[in-house]
């Protein structure tokens, strides 16, 4: 198969979807890899390294889309790229369609077969292609939250871990999945007093056993969140319903309960955000204030550390990309239930129900296209 690796064009996005080592593996299986010029530079990989691995460097994304049978990205295609895709072509990348109606319709109009990293799901309900970036985003959420609390960035001027004789900051993490656990571990490691919340009691029992002593687990509810907000310095939103729009767990009115200069970090912003006042921001302009509360809502948090993120992501995606290239999308999805759940769009039809529900669009069961 001819596989195209596109350069990311989202603001300050420097990840790349395949490393030179990944190219070597794909080429060894008989596939032809086309890499857009400078695609890997932001992650520390030169064009020369890709050529040495067996790839061909291509000057423009249009040329790659014209030639490739499967196109790979990291972030969702941008509006300028929708028209480059075509019927019979595979798109394999993060999509987050439930939070992006224009992209959804653009991909439907393209006729392409679109498989989303974030909805590939194993039998144990784990999300193997979302997990590595969730690990990065969860850890970075605390770094960015700590910066947002600095008075020079509009925060209340509090150090997360405090110092001897001065109490540490209080951090609430809503959601006990991969993002939430990584955020809580990072905050605990810095010495903060952490409250980790989830709605699954079995999950809380497990987390209560494995988390550090400065982490308290709590059953999440609207009442509990509201009762604790006045004391919180930093709140991390880590709520996820796979493939669907994130539920709102903090409203605008709730912000009035919080301290002036407290901070919110919404890691669910890719899926529409889990705070009512969230709106997607970029690494260039990452924060804004509502009701005196600093909001950090960057939609591609791991893009700030591409050297780490690219390696973590491609470790996870390469086996699935190889399977798609070896077998074609249909056979791969028929034989691999996880990939089947990743199929979101095929020749203008939406095959992921949560996306259809988000926009009131017609749903086509994935079995109908297989």
């Amino acid at each position: 198969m001819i596989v195209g690796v596109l350069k990311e064009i989202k603001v300050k996005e420097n990840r790349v979807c395949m490393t030179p080592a990944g190219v070597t593996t794909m080429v060894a299986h008989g596939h032809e890899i086309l890499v857009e010029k400078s695609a890997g530079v932001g992650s520390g990989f030169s064009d020369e390294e890709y050529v040495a691995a067996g790839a061909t460097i291509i000057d423009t994304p249009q040329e790659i889309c014209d030639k490739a049978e499967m196109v790979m990205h990291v972030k969702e295609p941008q509006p300028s790229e929708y028209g480059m895709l075509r019927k019979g072509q595979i798109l394999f990348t993060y999509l987050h369609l439930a939070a992006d109606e224009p992209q959804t319709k653009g991909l439907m109009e393209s006729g392409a077969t679109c498989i989303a990293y974030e909805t590939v799901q194993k039998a144990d309900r784990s999300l193997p292609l979302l997990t590595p970036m969730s690990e990065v985003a969860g850890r970075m959420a605390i770094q960015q939250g700590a910066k947002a609390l600095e008075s020079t960035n509009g925060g209340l001027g509090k150090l997360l871990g405090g110092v001897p004789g001065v109490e540490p900051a209080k951090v609430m993490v809503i959601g006990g999945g991969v993002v939430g656990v990584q955020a809580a571990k990072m905050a605990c490691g810095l010495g903060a007093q952490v409250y980790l919340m989830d709605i699954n009691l079995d999950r809380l029992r497990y987390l209560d056993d494995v988390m550090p002593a400065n982490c308290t687990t709590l059953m999440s509810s609207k009442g509990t969140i509201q009762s604790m907000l006045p004391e919180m310095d930093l709140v991390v939103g880590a709520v996820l319903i796979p493939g669907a729009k994130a539920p709102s767990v903090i409203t605008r009115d709730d912000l009035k309960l919080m301290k002036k200069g407290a901070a919110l970090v919404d890691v669910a912003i890719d899926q529409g955000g889990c705070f009512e006042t969230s709106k997607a921001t970029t690494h260039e302009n990452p924060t804004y204030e509502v009701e005196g509360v600093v909001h950090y809502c960057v939609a591609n948090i791991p893009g700030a550390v591409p050297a780490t993120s690219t390696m973590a992501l491609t470790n996870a995606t390469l086996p699935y990309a190889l399977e798609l290239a070896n077998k074609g999308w249909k056979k791969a999805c028929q034989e691999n239930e996880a990939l089947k759940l990743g199929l979101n769009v095929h020749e203008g039809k939406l095959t992921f129900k949560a996306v259809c529900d988000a926009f009131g669009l017609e749903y086509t069961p994935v079995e109908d296209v297989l």
Side-chain angles (χ1 to χ4, degrees):
M1 184 178 282
I2 302 173
V3 179
V5 173
L6 291 175
K7 183 177 181 179
E8 301 301 313
I9 59 173
K10 193 162 186 170
V11 176
K12 297 291 184 181
E13 179 54 74
N14 289 305
R15 287 174 288 180
V16 64
C17 63
M18 192 179 297
T19 62
V23 171
T24 300
T25 300
M26 296 291 280
V27 170
H29 282 79
H31 306 299
E32 182 181 349
I33 311 300
L34 310 177
V35 177
E36 187 178 346
K37 185 178 179 181
S38 302
V41 171
S43 294
F45 303 116
S46 68
D47 288 347
E48 290 74 19
E49 289 176 89
Y50 281 104
V51 171
T56 301
I57 301 299
I58 303 294
D59 286 336
T60 69
Q62 185 66 65
E63 288 179 82
I64 284 183
C65 290
D66 287 347
K67 296 176 181 178
E69 297 162 89
M70 178 165 71
V71 174
M72 292 183 64
H73 239 317
V74 175
K75 288 305 292 176
E76 69 279 357
Q78 301 300 294
S80 64
E81 297 173 308
Y82 303 161
M84 298 181 191
L85 303 169
R86 66 177 187 275
K87 184 177 178 180
Q89 191 171 55
I90 303 166
L91 173 66
F92 190 36
T93 186
Y94 286 118
L95 294 176
H96 301 290
L97 294 181
D100 192 343
E101 188 171 6
Q103 185 202 173
T104 301
K105 292 182 175 178
L107 295 183
M108 291 172 70
E109 290 169 6
S110 76
T113 297
C114 306
I115 299 172
Y117 289 169
E118 75 275 5
T119 64
V120 172
Q121 188 171 20
K122 291 184 176 181
D124 62 2
R125 301 186 68 188
S126 64
L127 303 166
L129 307 189
L130 189 61
T131 294
M133 293 303 91
S134 295
E135 290 168 337
V136 173
R139 294 182 180 205
M140 285 195 66
I142 298 303
Q143 290 183 199
Q144 301 302 333
K147 289 200 289 187
L149 284 176
E150 294 173 11
S151 61
T152 49
N153 295 317
L156 52 80
K158 201 163 191 177
L159 183 66
L160 275 189
V163 292
V166 180
E167 69 175 4
K170 293 182 179 179
V171 178
M172 178 194 293
V173 179
I174 306 174
V178 176
V179 169
V181 168
Q182 294 299 321
K185 283 182 178 179
M186 197 77 165
C188 287
L190 289 171
Q193 178 58 54
V194 179
Y195 300 89
L196 179 56
M197 310 180 77
D198 201 89
I199 57 174
N200 184 326
L201 190 55
D202 288 335
R203 179 67 172 169
L204 289 174
R205 286 194 180 101
Y206 165 75
L207 292 173
D208 200 60
D209 280 342
V210 300
M211 294 302 289
N214 54 329
C215 179
T216 300
T217 58
L218 292 169
M219 178 62 76
S220 182
S221 70
K222 184 68 174 174
T224 302
I225 291 171
Q226 287 180 332
S227 69
M228 295 182 66
L229 282 178
E231 296 297 316
M232 293 302 109
D233 302 300
L234 171 62
V235 179
V236 175
V239 180
L240 174 71
I241 300 175
K245 190 178 186 306
S248 181
V249 293
I250 292 180
T251 67
R252 188 184 188 105
D253 282 344
D254 292 337
L255 299 186
K256 297 173 184 176
L257 302 171
M258 300 183 71
K259 305 171 186 176
K260 299 298 181 185
L264 297 178
V265 176
D266 194 341
V267 190
I269 193 63
D270 270 336
Q271 292 292 142
C274 61
F275 306 138
E276 185 182 14
T277 46
S278 293
K279 60 182 181 182
T281 60
T282 67
H283 289 294
E284 286 186 328
N285 296 291
T287 62
Y288 60 94
E289 288 187 25
V290 179
E291 302 287 351
V293 176
V294 181
H295 290 55
Y296 179 95
C297 302
V298 172
N300 60 326
I301 295 175
V305 287
T308 297
S309 296
T310 288
M311 295 295 289
L313 179 62
T314 56
N315 286 344
T317 58
L318 185 62
Y320 292 92
L322 191 60
E323 191 167 352
L324 288 167
N326 286 346
K327 300 177 180 178
W329 74 269
K330 182 172 282 190
K331 187 177 180 183
C333 289
Q334 288 171 338
E335 295 181 359
N336 187 326
E337 186 70 20
L339 268 176
K340 175 181 170 182
L341 292 172
L343 187 61
N344 279 219
V345 184
H346 173 66
E347 294 185 354
K349 298 175 180 177
L350 280 177
T351 57
F352 200 86
K353 192 171 187 305
V355 178
C356 300
D357 292 345
F359 306 123
L361 297 172
E362 183 179 352
Y363 169 59
T364 301
V366 68
E367 290 77 12
D368 291 0
V369 303
L370 293 176

